[in-house]
Amino acid sequence: MSTTDKELRVGMVGYAFMGAAHSQAWRTVNRVYDLPARARMALICGRDTAKVADAADRLGWEAYTTDWRDLINRDDIDVVDICTPGDSHAEIALAALAAGKHVLCEKPLANTVAEARAMTAAADVARAAGVRSMCAFNYRRVPAVTMMRQLVADGRLGVIRHVRAVYLQDWIVDPQFPLVWRLQKDRAGSGALGDIGAHIIDLTQFVTGQRISGVSAVTETFVKERPLPAESSGLAASVDGHAAPTGPVTVDDAAVFVARLDGGALATYEASRFATGRKNALRVEINGSLGTVVFDLERLNELEFYDATRPAVEQGFNRILVTEGEHPYMSAWWPPGHIIGYEHSFTHEMRDFIEAVANGVDPTPSFADALQVQLVLDAVTRSAELGSSWTEVAPALTAAAV
């Protein structure tokens, strides 16, 4: 169906955490923004019939299926939204692009560089036929983050010298937490590095306009064996008083690395799911020759801004409340001072995606942008395996070019 008919019929694969977040955004986006096409929540896909039927009813989808191939092969689907674990991203995206469907894919783009290269090459081919694709790095769409980028682009910070980024969680601190898919390399690709580290890699490159060119890294897996989930082992937490069987954790629990950006800045990154007491703590600080700007996800409507060009007696960190109608994305929401939340970043993501598809332009971040993040993840992994040796980030060549 042509987008000139003013409707984009969306089929989404996956219905858990990210599926719920994306569903909320698809339900909301046309109710708050005046867009050139209307998103229609046509079909949701999941493997378990009962669970996906419940998700369709609860999340607002018109129909459901248990086979993503059925979703892609339907003529009444224009957009495929991929919210599955990383091990299925490439297969679904490649099939969707080949079928002429626009694709929105969750991050990280894939589990391997080879998969990400293949997806990027397929997106390049599909683009020539008017098929669009985007990777879902939602934190780009937090208004304060977009404003942070504007301050850098406008030269308000001068020459960028330092980048500091951390993303800290603690949901697997308990060694008895089960061996879920996010702790298995074949499903997730990597652990804290790909799950949350990918976010701060993309966010800092987006804000600074510089790309990471080389890294020195260390990773650690603190708990190397975990109880198998009851649903995968077929057993309860214990059998006849004995502990349930365990399996190996095959991903990192934490990753720390230093980096050099191609514009000359020095950077430090930390991603951990073992930071006790930290639930979803993302913080980025950018230091430049003329000032500093700081973003903290736990205060996502605010920026801290230090303007070193002001007279010395007036200098100090200023709190900017990013809720004015003139601020990025905020014109559709509430009066100044009325804050928004995490879920709004996904609504903004869908807004940008719909506008790009309907207007025939390429949305960002593209698969090529996401491939570059994948290459950084790969460089971090290789550096850690080589005793933290300095490791250059490979060039972002597509599969067609190698």
Side-chain angles (χ1 to χ4, degrees):
M1 176 178 177
S2 170
T3 56
T4 58
D5 293 322
K6 303 299 182 184
E7 185 175 71
L8 285 173
R9 298 162 299 185
V10 181
M12 188 175 74
V13 189
Y15 55 79
F17 172 32
M18 276 299 104
H22 282 222
S23 296
Q24 191 276 341
W26 289 121
R27 287 196 310 271
T28 305
V29 64
N30 288 114
R31 291 174 170 84
V32 295
Y33 288 105
D34 183 15
L35 297 172
R38 176 166 293 278
R40 176 179 167 187
M41 298 170 65
L43 187 65
I44 187 172
C45 178
R47 291 175 296 179
D48 186 294
T49 301
K51 290 181 178 179
V52 74
D54 173 72
D57 180 64
R58 176 169 44 87
L59 299 175
W61 294 87
E62 295 176 9
Y64 64 88
T65 181
T66 57
D67 188 344
W68 61 262
R69 295 171 183 82
D70 171 60
L71 182 151
I72 287 173
N73 290 330
R74 287 176 54 154
D75 293 333
D76 60 347
I77 296 298
D78 306 300
V79 173
V80 176
D81 183 1
I82 304 171
C83 295
T84 60
D87 61 329
S88 59
H89 284 189
E91 185 179 16
I92 298 172
L94 292 173
L97 291 168
K101 313 295 186 184
H102 307 292
V103 175
L104 176 63
C105 184
E106 257 302 325
K107 47 56 59 187
L109 186 63
N111 275 6
T112 68
V113 167
E115 289 176 342
R117 288 191 191 279
M119 294 167 72
T120 302
D124 289 342
V125 172
R127 182 183 300 111
V131 177
R132 309 297 168 181
S133 53
M134 188 174 90
C135 190
F137 282 100
N138 66 295
Y139 291 133
R140 287 188 177 208
R141 267 71 187 201
V142 174
V145 170
T146 304
M147 184 178 176
M148 192 181 194
R149 173 185 167 91
Q150 290 178 358
L151 289 171
V152 173
D154 290 345
R156 299 294 299 278
L157 270 64
V159 178
I160 304 303
R161 291 170 173 163
H162 288 292
V163 173
R164 294 180 199 86
V166 299
Y167 200 162
L168 309 175
Q169 298 176 343
D170 72 351
W171 58 275
I172 55 173
V173 166
D174 183 354
Q176 294 306 305
F177 189 90
L179 188 66
V180 296
W181 70 265
R182 290 185 185 275
L183 305 179
Q184 302 171 39
K185 185 177 178 62
D186 60 340
R187 300 291 310 283
S190 65
L193 176 61
D195 184 17
I196 55 180
H199 271 302
I200 52 177
I201 291 168
D202 180 73
L203 192 157
T204 53
Q205 293 186 140
F206 170 69
V207 167
T208 63
Q210 299 185 28
R211 292 192 166 188
I212 296 171
S213 59
V215 301
S216 174
V218 60
T219 62
E220 184 58 66
T221 302
F222 298 111
V223 175
K224 296 178 172 56
E225 292 273 337
R226 288 186 177 273
L228 297 179
E231 62 269 21
S232 63
S233 66
L235 299 172
S238 63
V239 180
D240 296 329
H242 298 288
T246 64
V249 175
T250 51
V251 299
D252 59 282
D253 288 331
V256 178
F257 62 99
V258 296
R260 184 177 291 279
L261 278 65
D262 60 9
L266 300 179
T268 61
Y269 295 83
E270 180 182 6
S272 177
R273 300 191 293 208
F274 265 73
T276 305
R278 298 296 184 185
K279 304 305 175 183
N280 198 40
L282 186 163
R283 182 179 172 88
V284 171
E285 178 171 322
I286 312 293
N287 304 133
S289 59
L290 301 179
T292 288
V293 65
V294 184
F295 170 73
D296 186 334
L297 182 62
E298 294 179 347
R299 296 163 54 194
L300 65 74
N301 291 272
E302 303 176 21
L303 286 177
E304 293 180 72
F305 179 48
Y306 185 99
D307 185 352
T309 67
R310 294 182 65 84
V313 294
E314 298 177 5
Q315 288 180 14
F317 277 95
N318 294 308
R319 169 179 173 263
I320 302 174
L321 188 61
V322 189
T323 60
E324 299 289 332
E326 294 79 13
H327 284 138
Y329 300 105
M330 292 303 298
S331 61
W333 297 109
W334 320 120
H338 292 68
I339 61 176
I340 62 171
Y342 169 78
E343 72 276 14
H344 293 76
S345 65
F346 294 94
T347 304
H348 302 157
E349 183 173 84
M350 303 321 176
R351 187 206 79 163
D352 291 349
F353 183 76
I354 291 170
E355 284 192 336
V357 169
N359 293 326
V361 299
D362 294 325
T364 57
S366 66
F367 278 16
D369 296 327
L371 167 60
Q372 199 278 332
V373 173
Q374 199 86 38
L375 291 166
V376 176
L377 298 177
D378 178 69
V380 170
T381 300
R382 289 186 287 118
S383 174
E385 291 173 346
L386 295 171
S388 305
S389 65
W390 185 257
T391 302
E392 298 293 331
V393 176
L397 301 175
T398 65
V402 293

